[in-house]
Amino acid sequence: MIGIIGGSGLYEIEGVVVTEKKKISTPFGVPSDSYIVGKFAGRNIIFLARHGLKHAIPPHKINYKANLWGLKQLGVRRVISVGAAGGISPGMRPGTIVVLDQIIDMTAGRDSTYYEGDEEVIHVDFTGPYCPELRKSVIAAGKKSDIKLLKKGTYICTNGPRLETKAEIRFFSGIGADVVGMTAMPEASLAREAEMCYAGIAVVTNYAAGMTRKRLTAREVVEVMHKTGKRISALLKETINLIPSERRCACRETLREAKI
Ligand code: HPA
């Protein structure tokens, strides 16, 4: 089963035939919204709106643990996450699609692990935060369906909900960030702890703070995401087509080498 998490402005995916909506709770609380179960490109998928379908949950209040646990509970083993981001490095123009390969975590105070140390001490390997096999499928899908995308990029995750200062973006640029967003963490590391494959697609919705003279607005984020929606749906469809039926990556046995 393949899970898709949609961010700001991506509340449904064109071409998904919805069969059921599942409202569930988890040992970690209630997920952002009902899970939308359906068929896409001939395979079973489950969609979740990260901020809720009415976009009522800000990034720092999302129950990431419940969201990921719920997906796993429903049988998902691979997660494709789509999120809006601000462009920092050259070429990261609004409308650019990036298949992320690295993360810098600047969040604080988020509930970010399934292993609090009550029973076991666990340190998962996170050298490559995104699943190489799943990334490969997204990149191949871009090529096959002629959708332009960047094959790598480093995502810096801020706590939000405020946008960044010009100096922060200058600093982020200096430490190697290509795009900035507020939701990849702890989503990516929780997926790893839950031994699910996880790929991240960033849609650049705006130039990051201070990169242009323009003030940033939340509206442009949603507008650009809407405009990119068709391309993202087509990319997801082809990706799902290309995902191998069996997982051969290390994600599925993360915990084997993570226990003290
Ligand atoms: N900063 C942080 N998060 C974002 C941005 C941004 O500029 N654009 C979309 N999500």
Side-chain angles (χ1 to χ4, degrees), residues 72-235:
K72 177 117 195 232
Q73 214 169 289
L74 294 172
V76 168
R77 293 295 176 268
R78 285 160 161 141
V79 180
I80 306 172
S81 157
V82 184
I88 299 179
S89 61
M92 297 293 175
R93 278 179 239 105
T96 306
I97 298 173
V98 191
V99 186
L100 300 161
D101 73 325
Q102 275 299 330
I103 296 178
I104 300 171
D105 185 8
M106 300 292 279
T107 64
R110 295 187 180 185
D111 195 3
S112 61
T113 178
Y114 292 118
Y115 296 100
E116 295 293 353
D118 308 332
E119 287 158 27
E120 294 171 301
V121 176
I122 297 281
H123 300 284
V124 294
D125 175 58
F126 206 46
T127 314
Y130 296 101
C131 167
E133 198 178 78
L134 204 49
R135 289 188 69 249
K136 219 189 242 177
S137 299
V138 183
I139 292 166
K143 200 163 175 197
K144 196 158 174 214
S145 49
D146 223 2
I147 294 167
K148 223 172 125 190
L149 44 79
L150 296 178
K151 295 188 184 113
K152 57 184 195 161
T154 297
Y155 180 112
I156 193 159
C157 191
T158 62
N159 222 41
R162 68 163 176 86
L163 291 158
E164 300 72 36
T165 66
K166 187 173 175 172
E168 283 169 340
I169 294 298
R170 208 185 305 131
F171 169 61
F172 294 166
S173 171
I175 60 170
D178 296 305
V179 295
V180 57
M182 302 175 189
T183 55
M185 287 300 291
E187 206 174 81
S189 55
L190 289 168
R192 181 62 53 86
E193 284 188 351
E195 298 188 315
M196 292 191 283
C197 300
Y198 182 87
I201 301 172
V203 175
V204 178
T205 51
N206 56 281
Y207 290 105
M211 307 285 297
T212 66
R213 282 164 194 273
K214 251 181 65 195
R215 280 172 68 88
L216 301 184
T217 64
R219 197 182 334 129
E220 70 183 297
V221 170
V222 175
E223 272 172 15
V224 175
M225 205 64 177
H226 274 299
K227 271 194 219 153
T228 320
K230 264 195 188 346
R231 266 192 298 151
I232 289 292
S233 298
L235 180 64

Side-chain angles (χ1 to χ4, degrees), residues 2 4 13-17 39-43 45 80 137 141 145 147 201 230-243:
I2 297 157
I4 299 170
I13 297 163
E14 225 178 88
V16 172
V17 182
K39 281 248 180 225
F40 194 34
R43 285 169 99 159
I45 66 119
I80 306 172
S137 299
S145 49
I147 294 167
I201 301 172
K230 264 195 188 346
R231 266 192 298 151
I232 289 292
S233 298
L235 180 64
L236 290 172
K237 188 169 185 180
E238 195 55 52
T239 301
I240 285 164
N241 235 338
L242 292 177
I243 292 174

